[in-house]
Each structure stands twice: as structure tokens, then as C-alpha cells.
Amino acid sequence: MPIKIGVVGYGTIGARVAEAVMKQPDMELVGIAKTTPDYKAKTAISRGMKIFIPENSVESWKKAGIKVDGFIEDLVREVDVIIDATPKGVGKANSEMYKKEGRVAIFQGGEKKDLVEATVVAQVNYDEARGKRMIRVPSCNTTALSRISWFFEREYGVERIIATIARRAADPADKKEGIIDNIEFDPIKPPSHHGEDVRTVLKNLNIFTTAIKIPTTHAHLHLINVKLRKKVSREEILDALSEERRIMLVSSEDGITTTSDVFELSRHLGRPMNNIYENVVWVESIHSEGEWVYLAQAVHQEAIVVPENIDAIRAVASSLDAESSMNTTDRTLGIVRGRI
Ligand SMILES: NC(=O)C1=CN([C@@H]2O[C@H](COP(=O)(O)OP(=O)(O)OC[C@H]3O[C@@H](n4cnc5c(N)ncnc54)[C@H](O)[C@@H]3O)[C@@H](O)[C@H]2O)C=CC1
Ligand SMILES: O=C(OP(=O)(O)O)[C@H](O)COP(=O)(O)O
């Protein structure tokens, strides 16, 4: 029996997760919940998705001439697992509805850790989601930091990580936030929340993060400094990273030097919605000095959490182990590892 999924919130994240669910052999997308009768609703219907709406929006959908399949509450009753991809804080409000119907719910990084029983990144702590009713997938930055931190911790042991995050100011489709003509050290008093968020996944990790907000929309960029528990050569790191799941290695030798090159790469890879699900690490950025290793990685904020949502569904609603789940997810989404 396929796992029945409902996606509540069909924006940057929700639309991508819904599309990914439809590619899973063991899942059925029962429908998506949307508040606005717009082009996204029309394209969702053309892709065979059912639409569920808030009860107080019937008139606006009728006026738009878009036929719907029921109310959000109906969707919640029909599914096994809810993916809540609503704006920050709305998930918390929706959680009462999910609890009332006894549904398992997976939230996103904008929700606070106190709302959930676990924060899960599949490569790191997939099993922590077992038997849980309310979990979250951390934000894009935390997901990327957790993956690369886990790699270093598992392979060599980590004494300290210091990471600087250059955060995109807005998503390409954002009309409200727009990009700003300045660079903002945000928060102005470090550390940023990311280190604490990574510790909801990788407990006790000694990580300190700062963040700057920059005028771009394509991706975030991380500058990562890791003090390992032993000396490791650049070559060893590069060889090991080449085998690491969900780490894509790129190089200036291939003409990839900027986040817009990575964005363009996603198009040449034929990725839906320009999705880059992987941490994108520059080969040339990897540098080793004794126990210290440095590297730079780009993070496609709109897509990196998509495979994590798919694996989180199996972690809470199937008996599949982490490796089997990630193998299916990576195969169906065309996720690569190593040098492109
Ligand atoms: N945009 C990004 O770069 C990333 C966002 N996230 C997190 O994912 C979550 C969703 O963020 P986005 O997709 O960017 O937001 P978004 O604003 O693009 O999409 C949210 C969607 O939910 C809809 N919505 C609002 N209230 C609703 C309700 N009560 N019921 C159903 N739908 C409702 C909105 O109309 C919108 O279509 C947030 O927690 C955010 O922090 C995580 C990683 C990256
Ligand atoms: O940057 C992000 O998460 P973060 O707050 O963990 O850095 C996500 O892309 C969400 O960012 P937003 O809160 O600007 O939509």
C-alpha cells in the first residue's frame, strides 16, 4: 500500500516536495492545499494534482473558475502523512488540526524546534524519526551544514567548526522581500541560529556560525572551517567527498565559479524547477593545513530540503531503513554525487 501524502502549502518548498512525492514508487500524492487560486493551482491541476482549500475561500476559487476537490480538513483526513510547507509559524497553527485528526506531520525549518519531537536529516539521524508524530526537516542552510558536518564527524572526528553563511536575501519568485542594495551582518550579534539548529540534528557538535545577508536570490554560500581530530590531506578529503551522498563537486575548470553558474548547471542537468538537491562543493576551495580543513559550498535553498522531506516520510511511515530510502529518493530525483 502506498503511503498517502498531503502537502499543505504549495509555495517554493511545497510545490517541489509535491512534485517529488509523485515520483516515488511507494507514495501517493492525495492532494495539495492552497489558499490562492492562481496559476500555480492551474498548473498543479494540469499535473494531475487534487486541490484542497480553506473553507473561507470558496468564493474566490469559484470566481477564478478553478474546480477544487474539497477543504484542507478533508485532505488531512484522507492521508497518512502531512507535509506542512506553509510560511514560518503557520505550521504551528495548523498543527492543532493535524493532532485533532491524529495525523503524522512533517514541518519545515521555519517552525521552531519546540513544535516537534525531532529534527531530521536523512544521512545523519533518519532513525530518530521512527515512531514520531511531529517532526521537522531543518532549513536549507541547516540541512547543508548538517550533511557536511556529519561527513567530517563520521570520517575524521570534529573538534570545531566555524562557518560563515552568505544568505540569499530572497527567493527568485519573492515579490515582497526583494533584494537589497547592501550587505547585512545578520544577526549583528553572533552566533547565528544555524549552529544551534545543526545541534538539533547532530547533538553536541562544536559548531559556531555567523551569517551575512547578501543581494542575490540564486543560492546561499557557506565558507566552512573545520578543525578535525587528526591531520588529513586535501587529497584524502577530496577522495572521500567524491563518494559522499548528496555532495556534488564542481570546478572552475568546468567554468563553474559562481552561484549563477550552479543555477545554469541545474538547467543543463534538466532538473525540474532548476532544483539542485545536493550540497555543491567547489573542488578548488578544499584546502587542508594540519588538522584544519577549509571549503566553500553553495546551497540551492529552494530544493535542498526536497529529498529530506521524502526520506522523512519513509522514516515516520515505513519500515524502510535510511540507506534504502535515500537510494530510492536519489534514483527517482536524479541526485548525483562526486564531480559532475
Ligand atoms: N524558501 C526557502 O528558501 C526555504 C524555506 N524553508 C521553509 O519552508 C517553509 C515554507 O517556505 P516557502 O515555501 O519559502 O514559503 P512560500 O511563501 O513560498 O509558500 C508557502 C505557501 O503556503 C501558502 N499558505 C499560507 N498559509 C496557508 C495555510 N494556512 N494553509 C495552506 N497554505 C497556506 C501560501 O499561500 C504559499 O503558497 C517555511 O517554514 C520556510 O522557512 C526551508 C528551506 C528553504
Ligand atoms: O535561509 C533560510 O533558512 P535559515 O533561516 O536557516 O538561513 C531559508 O532559505 C529560509 O529563508 P527565509 O526565512 O529568508 O525564507
Side-chain angles (χ1 to χ4, degrees):
M1 280 294 279
I3 307 168
K4 294 185 172 183
I5 310 297
V7 175
V8 176
Y10 192 74
T12 301
I13 301 300
R16 287 173 165 81
V17 172
E19 191 256 352
V21 166
M22 292 176 83
K23 291 178 174 169
Q24 304 311 309
D26 55 343
M27 296 180 193
E28 176 197 344
L29 179 71
V30 173
I32 59 116
K34 248 186 102 16
T35 51
T36 316
D38 58 7
Y39 71 91
K40 290 181 185 177
K42 292 178 179 175
T43 49
I45 290 167
S46 67
R47 301 170 78 158
M49 296 180 192
K50 287 187 176 176
I51 305 271
F52 294 79
I53 64 171
E55 288 195 42
N56 61 5
S57 67
V58 171
E59 283 317 306
S60 60
W61 288 80
K62 258 192 196 139
K63 193 162 162 249
I66 301 177
K67 186 181 161 307
V68 299
D69 300 275
F71 297 129
I72 294 180
E73 291 75 7
D74 301 325
L75 177 63
V76 174
R77 286 188 201 105
E78 285 182 35
V79 301
D80 301 312
V81 179
I82 282 284
I83 297 281
D84 187 287
T86 55
K88 278 178 194 171
V90 178
K92 179 173 169 56
N94 288 343
S95 65
E96 293 313 314
M97 171 174 48
Y98 307 146
K99 278 184 205 159
K100 186 163 77 63
E101 298 298 339
R103 289 296 170 274
V104 174
I106 297 171
F107 298 93
Q108 308 304 313
E111 302 305 326
K112 300 230 178 302
K113 64 182 177 190
D114 308 342
L115 175 66
V116 298
E117 301 162 276
T119 300
V120 180
V121 172
Q123 280 151 281
V124 184
N125 63 338
Y126 175 97
D127 289 336
E128 201 174 321
R130 291 286 192 217
K132 300 285 191 322
R133 312 290 297 167
M134 296 270 174
I135 67 169
R136 73 173 181 164
V137 167
S139 79
C140 42
N141 283 307
T142 304
T143 296
L145 286 171
S146 299
R147 287 182 186 168
I148 199 76
S149 301
W150 172 240
F151 163 77
F152 284 118
E153 174 62 13
R154 187 194 69 222
E155 293 294 320
Y156 315 108
V158 165
E159 195 171 305
R160 175 85 161 144
I161 294 182
I162 301 167
T164 299
I165 295 153
R167 288 183 76 208
R168 66 93 180 88
D171 289 332
D174 276 353
K175 292 189 279 197
K176 297 184 289 292
E177 293 193 26
I179 48 181
I180 44 180
D181 184 12
N182 63 38
I183 299 176
E184 183 184 359
F185 189 59
D186 173 30
I188 198 145
K189 187 178 179 308
S192 70
H193 71 82
H194 304 94
E196 185 192 342
D197 257 357
V198 170
R199 276 191 293 277
T200 64
V201 178
L202 259 168
K203 317 301 189 252
N204 311 317
L205 186 73
N206 185 0
I207 178 169
F208 180 86
T209 56
T210 56
I212 55 173
K213 197 180 271 192
I214 53 174
T216 185
T217 65
H218 296 311
H220 303 301
L221 188 74
H222 294 177
L223 301 178
I224 298 179
N225 311 298
V226 190
K227 186 173 185 187
L228 301 175
R229 294 197 184 282
K230 60 181 182 180
K231 291 180 183 172
V232 187
S233 71
R234 177 181 183 276
E235 291 63 36
E236 284 175 273
I237 303 272
L238 187 52
D239 287 348
L241 270 179
S242 303
E243 300 299 317
E244 186 69 7
R245 185 189 294 276
R246 297 178 184 174
I247 302 282
M248 181 193 284
L249 294 174
V250 295
S251 169
S252 61
E253 290 170 4
D254 298 322
I256 300 177
T257 56
T258 69
T259 52
S260 53
D261 293 324
V262 173
F263 193 78
E264 190 62 11
L265 169 65
S266 71
R267 291 170 165 166
H268 287 265
L269 290 173
R271 293 286 181 87
M273 298 189 189
N274 297 121
N275 291 339
I276 295 269
Y277 309 104
E278 303 91 341
N279 296 32
V280 179
V281 174
W282 269 273
V283 169
E284 292 84 351
S285 76
I286 302 168
H287 179 76
S288 159
E289 277 179 32
E291 293 92 349
W292 282 96
V293 177
Y294 310 88
L295 63 78
Q297 63 179 11
V299 181
H300 182 200
Q301 74 282 2
E302 300 171 300
I304 193 169
V305 298
V306 171
E308 303 298 341
N309 274 274
I310 300 300
D311 293 323
I313 289 167
R314 295 196 185 96
V316 293
S318 86
S319 56
L320 217 52
D321 63 272
E323 282 305 306
S324 305
S325 175
M326 291 190 284
N327 287 340
T328 301
T329 305
D330 290 3
R331 176 174 50 77
T332 53
L333 299 186
I335 291 177
V336 299
R337 65 178 81 182
R339 178 77 178 267
I340 55 123

